[in-house]
Amino acid sequence: KKYVWLDVDPGHDDATAIMLAVNSPEIHLLGVSTTHGNASSDHTAINAARCLLAFGGPSHVRVYPGSNEPLLLPARHDPEIHGIDGLGGVEGLPEANSSAVAALFAQNEDGTQVRALEGMSKIIKETWKNGSGHQVTVISTGPMTNIANFVSVYSDLLPAVEEFVFMGGGVGMGNRSSVAEFNILCDPHATQIVLNAPVKKTMMPINVTHTAIVTRKIHSLILSPEISSIPLEGLPAAASNLRHTLSTLITFFADSYKSTFGFNDGPPLHDALTIAYVARPELFKTTRYRVDVELTGEHTIGETVVDMWNYRKCDGTWGRTGKNCLVAESMNVEAFFEMFLET
Ligand code: BDR
Ligand code: CA
């Protein structure tokens, strides 16, 4: 099993990533931290808790709210894609102000919430036990502010990290500027800090996530009772309406992608691919490159610059001087959706 820490900004596709993370047999989820991104950090933290409840998160998993803002830039959100609260149009989730949601936040002895940096460092340290336990795969599906803070503050825990896997960036393409993808554009400086860390990394860029389109056919399969061998009665009460919840999620996301980007066939499930990659890496083709982020360009800030020909003669390390990142280049789309539907 992979021991996984998940950092999210739910977000429709983040919600599907949570669903896969808590229900994939290959993954042992340790905790969920949240960041500003698709919506404000207040919304994303509550949304993560609502998703864990709805999708059957294991009882030990808690939510740890993280950064409210990027390291340097002002925060930006994306209501055009995800609605004001980050999960626009999604029906059947537990109420934001319910006691079940409140109970999912880890608490300090004085009753305050445990924040992302404290929670993730403590749990990663406990899991690793100075090398005698398990390394942890840290998956990020939003702006990487929390992860950059972890890398900077807890550099002594980097040997405990098996890999950083992040959804973000593009190879020669963007979605929230001509060349920048949303997650990286929100906090380019944080991304560069993570990219410089001497730890293995994998980037899941939009070039690949745009192949994971929830077509009408796949949407209809979600609603059809035959597809799953898992009886819904086995799931918690909040999930009894799971098919309807997912269907409303996909409908809203499809409408956003149609009106904003002209996607007529359906929306891409970006963030879910990170979980599929950790659970089933054989579904993906990756190549190792030097990747950096454009931090100053007037038209190019937030672009992921991928040195495909090793022009810079980078070495074999994962840090500042090396080919620092595996970049996903393709995915077995059919197998991905089989996994998604089975989940
Ligand atoms: C990324 O930005 C958000 O809209 C999604 O949740 C995903 O993480 C795609 O560019
Ligand atoms: Ca996201």
Side-chain angles (χ1 to χ4, degrees):
K1 274 203 190 232
K2 292 284 182 183
Y3 286 71
V4 166
W5 186 272
L6 184 57
D7 189 75
V8 292
D9 64 333
H12 296 71
D13 51 330
D14 301 81
T16 63
I18 293 172
M19 186 187 78
L20 285 188
V22 298
N23 291 296
S24 295
E26 300 89 350
I27 286 179
H28 176 77
L29 184 63
L30 296 166
V32 177
S33 52
T34 57
T35 172
H36 65 89
N38 289 324
S40 74
S41 53
D42 291 344
H43 284 308
T44 57
I46 284 171
N47 287 346
R50 296 166 78 207
C51 290
L52 282 169
L53 289 168
F55 300 142
S59 56
H60 67 270
V61 172
R62 291 285 174 278
V63 175
Y64 302 83
S67 309
N68 300 317
E69 293 189 352
L71 296 181
L72 287 181
L73 299 179
R76 58 182 293 157
H77 308 313
D78 212 346
E80 190 182 0
I81 302 291
H82 296 279
I84 297 286
D85 77 350
L87 286 176
V90 184
E91 296 175 8
L93 294 177
E95 292 295 331
N97 58 6
S98 64
S99 54
V101 165
L104 273 203
F105 287 83
Q107 291 202 345
N108 294 307
E109 277 172 13
D110 64 1
T112 55
Q113 287 177 348
V114 182
R115 305 293 302 194
L117 193 54
E118 302 163 62
M120 80 186 276
S121 57
K122 180 167 178 282
I123 290 176
I124 289 174
K125 190 173 184 180
E126 283 170 5
T127 307
W128 182 53
K129 296 189 185 102
N130 287 322
S132 61
H134 299 277
Q135 279 188 309
V136 174
T137 300
V138 176
I139 303 180
S140 154
T141 67
M144 278 191 271
T145 320
N146 292 333
I147 314 296
N149 285 331
F150 172 78
V151 165
S152 307
V153 177
Y154 288 97
S155 52
D156 58 318
L157 285 180
L158 290 181
V161 177
E162 183 169 353
E163 184 176 6
F164 290 113
V165 176
F166 63 97
M167 188 279 132
V171 185
M173 64 189 284
N175 62 7
R176 275 324 199 188
S177 84
S178 310
V179 292
E181 181 278 333
F182 177 76
N183 289 341
I184 312 300
L185 185 61
C186 282
D187 200 341
H189 306 90
T191 310
Q192 186 66 57
I193 288 172
V194 178
L195 283 168
N196 283 343
V199 175
K200 184 181 176 192
K201 297 159 217 97
T202 299
M203 163 167 135
M204 191 62 66
I206 51 177
N207 311 64
V208 177
T209 64
H210 281 185
T211 65
I213 299 294
V214 190
T215 58
R216 283 178 195 82
K217 169 98 190 299
I218 291 166
H219 189 165
S220 70
L221 285 174
I222 288 168
L223 290 168
S224 102
E226 301 86 67
I227 57 129
S228 178
S229 51
I230 305 164
L232 283 178
E233 305 81 66
L235 292 169
S240 60
N241 220 7
L242 184 61
R243 290 174 198 277
H244 176 72
T245 295
L246 272 179
S247 176
T248 55
L249 181 153
I250 287 161
T251 299
F252 186 96
F253 206 33
D255 288 347
S256 296
Y257 261 77
K258 190 170 183 177
S259 57
T260 302
F261 298 116
F263 276 43
N264 289 318
D265 296 337
L269 275 190
H270 305 289
D271 294 338
L273 274 67
T274 57
I275 310 296
Y277 173 70
V278 172
R280 308 259 318 264
E282 69 279 6
L283 301 187
F284 294 80
K285 177 179 176 293
T286 59
T287 307
R288 188 168 168 183
Y289 297 114
R290 177 73 208 175
V291 181
D292 290 286
V293 181
E294 180 59 77
L295 298 176
T296 53
E298 183 184 350
H299 302 292
T300 54
I301 186 168
E303 175 177 13
T304 43
V305 179
V306 180
D307 186 2
M308 297 188 74
W309 313 112
N310 199 18
Y311 171 79
R312 293 172 53 192
K313 306 265 180 296
C314 291
D315 59 34
T317 62
W318 292 104
R320 285 175 189 271
T321 57
K323 287 188 181 184
N324 56 347
C325 196
L326 292 169
V327 177
E329 295 187 317
S330 62
M331 175 181 76
N332 180 336
V333 177
E334 201 179 325
F336 166 77
F337 277 114
E338 266 170 32
M339 176 186 173
F340 181 75
L341 290 170
E342 182 59 27
T343 304

